[in-house]
Amino acid sequence: MSQKVLLTSKEVNIILHRLACQLIEKHLDFSNTILIGIQPRGKYLAERIKQILEQEYNIKNVPLGFLDITFFRDDFRRNEKPVEANKTQIDFLVEDKKVVFIDDVLYTGRSIRAALTAIQSFGRPSGIELLTLIDRRFSRDLPIQPDYRGRQVDAINNEKVIVNWKENDGEDQVLLVAKEVRSEKGKEKREKGKGEESDM
């Protein structure tokens, strides 16, 4: 597999501050707004956005929760591997609040569709927006678009976008990884029934 760096640590930091400023323009003091990081990878982005809002823009007590969507996805039963759920942590009311979903990569849109269903268990928000670091705009299965995006990426089907966070991976970085395209001859030799990588 080959890979190239789409965003360096410095570029990620610049984008995070821009996204935080866009949220402030729309939501001001966040008195009626809550941030929801979509598990598992949206958690790191949501925590960083909250940190920037509170520490650098002096907005106090920004509500932040985490939402697990594992069993709300329409494809979780198709996964051959055992499904491992993440933790949902929402310790405040969602009813009549403005909700900002936060996820690192918007791909097919299925994760966001699942989040829209899952959040209803906690009340009826007055509105829902979507913030994403990377928007793979030509890969959508559903009519879902971000309200706040860090960067658009035009990636083809055999390419994968990987977001690394310093809290979990040691460094902030966004990579574009290209899988090797197997030859037709090689495909014929493989046993039928080996599934392709599922998209999350």
Side-chain angles (χ1 to χ4, degrees), residues 152-166:
Q152 283 186 331
V153 174
D154 300 335
I156 59 179
N157 289 334
N158 69 322
E159 294 177 326
K160 186 174 183 179
V161 177
I162 298 177
V163 179
N164 292 330
W165 297 104
K166 64 182 181 183

Side-chain angles (χ1 to χ4, degrees), residues 7-185:
L7 294 174
T8 64
S9 177
K10 182 178 180 180
E11 290 169 329
V12 170
N13 186 56
I14 292 171
I15 287 173
L16 293 183
H17 280 78
R18 172 168 58 79
L19 291 171
C21 288
Q22 290 175 346
L23 286 174
I24 293 170
E25 289 176 5
K26 184 73 177 287
H27 298 276
L28 300 177
D29 61 358
F30 289 77
S31 58
N32 199 45
T33 300
I34 58 179
L35 306 181
I36 299 290
I38 298 177
Q39 292 276 31
R41 304 291 296 185
K43 174 182 178 181
Y44 303 107
L45 176 56
E47 288 174 333
R48 294 287 284 280
I49 292 291
K50 173 183 169 72
Q51 183 182 52
I52 291 171
L53 290 170
E54 292 184 342
Q55 296 183 6
E56 302 192 32
Y57 294 99
N58 203 32
I59 299 174
K60 302 301 182 185
N61 302 317
V62 177
L64 171 62
F66 306 113
L67 181 65
D68 177 62
I69 59 168
T70 302
F71 299 112
F72 292 90
R73 289 183 61 95
D74 58 8
D75 57 359
F76 87 91
R77 296 181 190 277
R78 301 181 182 183
N79 201 326
E80 295 179 0
K81 299 177 181 179
V83 177
E84 185 175 338
N86 295 282
K87 184 179 180 181
T88 289
Q89 183 180 344
I90 299 178
D91 302 324
F92 41 73
L93 293 176
V94 171
E95 189 76 22
D96 292 329
K97 296 291 186 180
K98 296 175 182 176
V99 171
V100 181
F101 283 151
I102 298 178
D103 206 1
D104 59 352
V105 179
L106 176 58
Y107 186 20
T108 63
R110 294 182 182 274
S111 291
I112 305 306
R113 187 212 62 80
L116 290 169
T117 302
I119 198 67
Q120 300 303 318
S121 303
F122 298 90
R124 185 178 183 272
S126 62
I128 298 177
E129 295 178 333
L130 173 60
L131 180 151
T132 186
L133 181 65
I134 301 294
D135 175 17
R136 289 188 57 161
R137 59 177 177 168
F138 295 142
S139 305
R140 212 80 76 241
D141 290 344
L142 302 172
I144 292 172
Q145 304 299 329
D147 299 280
Y148 314 92
R149 66 166 61 88
R151 177 166 172 181
Q152 283 186 331
V153 174
D154 300 335
I156 59 179
N157 289 334
N158 69 322
E159 294 177 326
K160 186 174 183 179
V161 177
I162 298 177
V163 179
N164 292 330
W165 297 104
K166 64 182 181 183
E167 295 88 344
N168 189 62
D169 308 297
E171 182 182 13
D172 292 338
Q173 194 177 56
V174 180
L175 303 172
L176 182 65
V177 178
K179 306 176 195 171
E180 292 180 5
V181 179
R182 299 183 180 94
S183 66
E184 290 300 320
K185 192 174 182 181

